[in-house]
Amino acid sequence: MADLLVPGDVVRQRWKIDKKIGGGGFGEIYGALDLVTKDSVALKVESVNQSKQVLKMEVAVLKKLQGCSHVCKFVSCGRNENFNYLVMSLQASNLAELRRSQPKGVFSQSTMLRLGFQILRSIRAMHEAGFLHRDIKPSNFAMGSSTDTFHSCFMLDFGLARQFTKGNGEVRPARGSAGFRGTVRYASINAHENKEMGRQDDLWSFFYMMAEFAIGHLPWRKMKDKEQVGKMKKAYDHHLFLKSLPPGFKQFLDHISKLNYEDKPDYKMLISIVEKAIAKKTIKESDPFDWEKM
Ligand code: ADP
C-alpha cells in the first residue's frame, strides 16, 4: 500500500514531513518539523479506510499518561479525508534497533538494568492509570533525542492498550476468552492461550525483554507460528534465563509466576530488585549506555 504522506507534505499547514521512520501494524510514523514551534515531532497516521481504527484509543491513553516522564509529549491530533493523525514529541532510536546495533547483539548489565529500571517504572505508571499496555517489546521503547532526555527511555504505542479498571478503580471482570493481542515473541503464556490479559502479562513481556537484552535472543526466535511458540514457552524451564540475569531476577520470576488476573503485582519489590542489582554493580546513572561507547 502507498504511504499516506511523502517528504515535504505539510499537515494542517503546520507539520512538514521529513521522512518515514516506522510502519508498524496499524499505522505509519513520520518525523516532521513543527513550523510554528520549530520543534521536531513525530506524526502517527492511520488511514480512514483501515478496518481496525486504533489511533483514537492511542490518543486517549497518551493524554491520560501526560504526567508520566516516560511518555511522549502530546502535541495535537485530528483527521482529514484520508487519515487520522497524532502529533507527539520525537524520540531517537528504539531499543530493538539499539540492541541489534551492538556487535554481539546484547546489552551490558549496566545498560540492561538502567533501561529495565526505567521501563518497569513506566509499566507501573501505566497500570496505576488503569491501563494495560499489552504489547511490551523493545521496539515500543525509544531513547530521548534532546540533551535533557537522551538518557531517558520512552514508552511508545498505546494502540493495544486496554483499561482494566472500572470507574471506581476496581478490576473489570475477566472475559472467558479474549482475542490474542501483542507480539508473539514477547507474549506471555497466558496471552498465547487467549486468556484475558492482566498486569502480570506486561511484566512477563518485560522479563522476556530483559532476557533477550542479556542473551541476545530468545529460544523461540526462529519460530513464526504463534501456536508453536506457545507450546515451546509452556515446555521451557524459565529458570534457565536466570543464568544470564542478576541473582535477584529469580525472585522476579517467582513473583510474576504466582500472579493471576485480579492480583496487583508488588511493583515496589520488583523495582527494588532492579535497583539492588544496579547498586551491587556500582553502576552510575551518568555512565554511558552501550551505544554511546561505539
Ligand atoms: P505501530 O503501532 O504501527 O506498530 P508504533 O507506535 O509501535 O507503531 O511505532 C513504530 C516505530 O516507529 C517504533 O518502533 C519507533 O521506532 C517509531 N516511533 C514511534 N513513535 C515514535 C516517536 N514518538 N518518536 C520516534 N520514533 C517513534
Side-chain angles (χ1 to χ4, degrees), residues 114 150-151 283-289 292:
R114 280 182 294 153
F150 78 111
H151 270 201
I283 294 162
K284 286 204 302 292
E285 194 40 58
S286 56
D287 287 345
F289 282 111
E292 295 166 342

Side-chain angles (χ1 to χ4, degrees), residues 14-66:
R14 177 161 174 192
W15 297 286
K16 190 172 181 194
I17 302 301
D18 174 24
K19 59 173 193 275
K20 192 172 178 185
I21 52 177
F26 301 107
E28 297 170 6
I29 320 282
Y30 297 88
L33 175 70
D34 189 327
L35 297 173
V36 174
T37 62
K38 307 289 180 217
D39 287 335
S40 291
V41 293
L43 249 85
K44 186 162 182 174
V45 298
E46 168 187 82
S47 166
V48 289
N49 299 320
Q50 195 167 284
S51 56
K52 190 125 182 66
Q53 302 270 308
V54 294
L55 205 65
K56 221 175 145 181
M57 171 65 167
E58 174 135 27
V59 168
V61 177
L62 185 64
K63 280 185 176 169
K64 284 227 167 84
L65 294 176
Q66 281 304 287

Side-chain angles (χ1 to χ4, degrees), residues 21-29 42 44 58 72 88-94 97 137 139-140 142 156-159:
I21 52 177
F26 301 107
E28 297 170 6
I29 320 282
K44 186 162 182 174
E58 174 135 27
C72 294
M88 60 189 144
S89 52
L90 180 72
Q91 314 304 346
S93 301
N94 71 51
E97 296 162 345
K137 60 175 172 180
S139 62
N140 279 339
L156 308 173
D157 194 2
F158 304 114

